[in-house]
Amino acid sequence: MIDPSAAWERLAAHLAPLPTVELDRRRAAGRVLAEPLTATLDVPGVDVSAMDGYALTAAVREGDRLPVTGRIAAGDAPGRGLADGETARIMTGAPVPATADRVAPVELTDGGDREVVFHEGVPAGAHIRRRGEIVRRGRPLLEAGAPLTPGALALLATHGYRTVPVHRPPRVAVLVTGDEVVPPEAEPAAGQLRDSHTDFLLAAGRSLGLELAELGIVGDQRQALDRRVREGLEADVLLVTGGVSKGEFDFVEDVFRRAGCEVLFDSVAMQPGKPLIAARHAGGFAFGLPGNPASVMVAFWLFVRPTLRRLEGHADGYWHGALEGRLAAPLPGAKGRDRFLAAEVGFAGGRLRVKPVPPRGSHDLAAYARGSALVRVPAHAAPALAGARCEVLPLADWRGVILPSSDPV
């Protein structure tokens, strides 16, 4: 049995971003830039006014009057000149006349289209955005590895990039095992249960912008499992649920090896999720996830999610992005393994408040379905009271989430 952090390091040593593809800019949100991009034009392209006001060729004082000889709007062609003692009405974003050296904001003036009176002066250079002050053509715009946020994509749009180089998203396949498992649409007979793993994994994949391929359900027969696993290994990442313990019908680890996989680890010191298999092969990776619902969820969030994000070029890892919060309810202790509980979260006074949802076991799907975070109980930790510090890993969008005000902080 291996420590979770050590298990991740063993896996991460083999992870690298997938090859680069060109993707339409408007479909690239949430991806990672695979290559550096440079500016295609100066920003601003010419000297422009930062304010609505009056372009000036020299200093003015309180009470000075100047004739207004024209009006310059955003989008007008640059190159207009002003004679000494003249001014022009100018709009925000409009090109500054070649002879002008400052702009007086309209708020500091009184006048109209023919004459203007100045209430105070402005220094040379005031309220002018200089050509290329943001970026010069050919200079770095975004570095490789930059996340393609809405703001980043807006920036690329201003520079005319129609497509962007990103790392190819991984192709992921899901295979559920177990003689007792039936599709969600079926009426389970005595001793059977409906498949919840596929729905969880498909939804979790979509939360990462990925569409996972369903390989269906296969029973606990070695030959059938051999065939389906070899089919699934054509994907970049294969996720198999069930059949990973040490029971008579737990064939997954052996099937991985027979298919040419190198098993990196097969038992992790965490609860739930101990019987977790991670393997690699020439074409990608395979995970054997435990059969209990909570174990599948915890194994996905802690190991599969960061693997998929690493393949897309994101910086991610085991327990990456965890935050400190305060318990809004007691947290049970742990024995010899790190323990992970679902938690409801909220905010009060700018502080993250965490309410653990203790499960009855790794089969307690209802408890883990309620959580929007995982809270960690380190191995050998004693129980903690409400108000104590804790660590939580976000699993969902927390905006608008509020815990009942009666909960202690």
Side-chain angles (χ1 to χ4, degrees):
M1 188 165 59
I2 187 172
D3 177 80
S5 296
W8 171 254
E9 291 302 320
R10 192 175 290 183
L11 173 59
H14 303 286
L15 296 175
L18 291 170
T20 300
V21 296
E22 289 288 329
L23 190 62
D24 181 270
R25 185 190 68 249
R26 290 188 173 178
R27 297 177 55 209
R31 303 295 184 193
V32 170
L33 194 62
E35 300 171 2
L37 297 179
T38 56
T40 62
L41 72 170
D42 294 341
V43 180
V46 297
D47 291 355
V48 297
S49 177
M51 301 285 287
D52 290 337
Y54 293 87
L56 300 170
T57 61
V60 292
R61 294 173 297 178
E62 181 181 359
D64 283 354
R65 295 173 178 267
L66 291 179
V68 178
T69 60
R71 177 179 176 275
I72 311 170
D76 285 352
R80 174 175 178 161
L82 280 177
D84 289 344
E86 292 181 343
T87 185
R89 183 81 164 87
I90 193 168
M91 310 303 167
T92 302
V96 174
T99 51
D101 70 346
R102 69 198 74 195
V103 171
V106 69
E107 296 91 332
L108 304 182
T109 67
D110 186 14
D113 294 334
R114 295 186 177 183
E115 185 181 64
V116 58
V117 178
F118 296 91
H119 300 317
E120 60 183 78
V122 292
H127 309 300
I128 295 178
R129 297 170 179 162
R130 297 299 182 184
R131 176 179 180 175
E133 71 175 28
I134 301 300
V135 66
R136 285 282 185 178
R137 180 177 182 176
R139 299 296 296 169
L141 191 64
L142 290 175
E143 298 296 329
L148 291 172
T149 63
L153 294 172
L155 176 64
L156 296 180
T158 67
H159 287 265
Y161 284 99
R162 297 181 62 183
T163 64
V164 291
V166 300
H167 296 289
R168 175 177 64 79
R171 295 172 288 111
V172 187
V174 177
L175 176 63
V176 175
T177 75
D179 289 337
E180 76 282 14
V181 184
V182 298
E185 300 78 20
E187 186 66 32
Q192 294 183 328
L193 53 88
R194 292 188 175 102
D195 168 29
S196 65
H197 301 328
T198 300
D199 278 65
F200 166 74
L201 293 171
L202 293 181
R206 289 191 189 104
S207 74
L208 304 178
L210 301 174
E211 292 294 330
L212 279 57
E214 300 178 59
L215 300 183
I217 301 169
V218 63
D220 295 319
Q221 296 86 40
R222 190 187 299 272
Q223 290 184 341
L225 187 58
D226 270 333
R227 291 194 302 271
R228 302 297 291 279
V229 164
R230 289 177 187 275
E231 175 187 347
L233 290 177
E234 295 179 6
D236 298 303
V237 179
L238 171 63
L239 306 178
V240 180
T241 69
V244 297
S245 295
K246 304 300 181 183
E248 183 178 351
F249 299 106
D250 291 325
F251 302 133
V252 169
E253 183 170 356
D254 180 58
V255 167
F256 280 176
R257 294 184 190 276
R258 286 156 56 96
C261 295
E262 174 194 357
V263 174
L264 302 174
F265 55 81
D266 62 5
S267 181
V268 181
M270 64 183 191
Q271 178 189 6
K274 173 185 172 183
L276 170 64
I277 299 171
R280 71 182 186 109
H281 58 97
F285 299 86
F287 289 90
L289 307 178
N292 279 314
S295 300
V296 169
M297 292 181 177
V298 170
F300 180 89
W301 297 125
L302 298 184
F303 288 92
V304 178
R305 178 171 69 173
T307 293
L308 299 178
R309 284 174 52 80
R310 280 284 189 99
L311 295 177
E312 289 189 301
H314 293 278
D316 208 336
Y318 166 77
W319 207 239
H320 179 81
L323 303 172
E324 182 181 286
R326 293 277 187 171
L327 291 172
L331 182 67
K335 296 182 180 179
R337 292 180 279 164
D338 281 2
R339 188 177 181 187
F340 298 91
L341 281 69
E344 299 172 333
V345 298
F347 296 90
R351 180 180 293 175
L352 178 63
R353 303 165 66 230
V354 181
K355 185 177 182 179
V357 185
R360 295 179 180 273
S362 59
H363 62 293
D364 190 352
L365 176 57
Y368 283 84
R370 290 172 54 192
S372 58
L374 289 181
V375 58
R376 177 166 66 175
V377 185
H380 307 294
L385 299 176
R389 289 184 173 88
C390 64
E391 282 189 338
V392 290
L393 184 69
L395 305 181
D397 188 344
W398 290 347
R399 290 172 298 178
V401 176
I402 302 175
L403 288 175
S405 59
S406 59
D407 288 332
V409 180

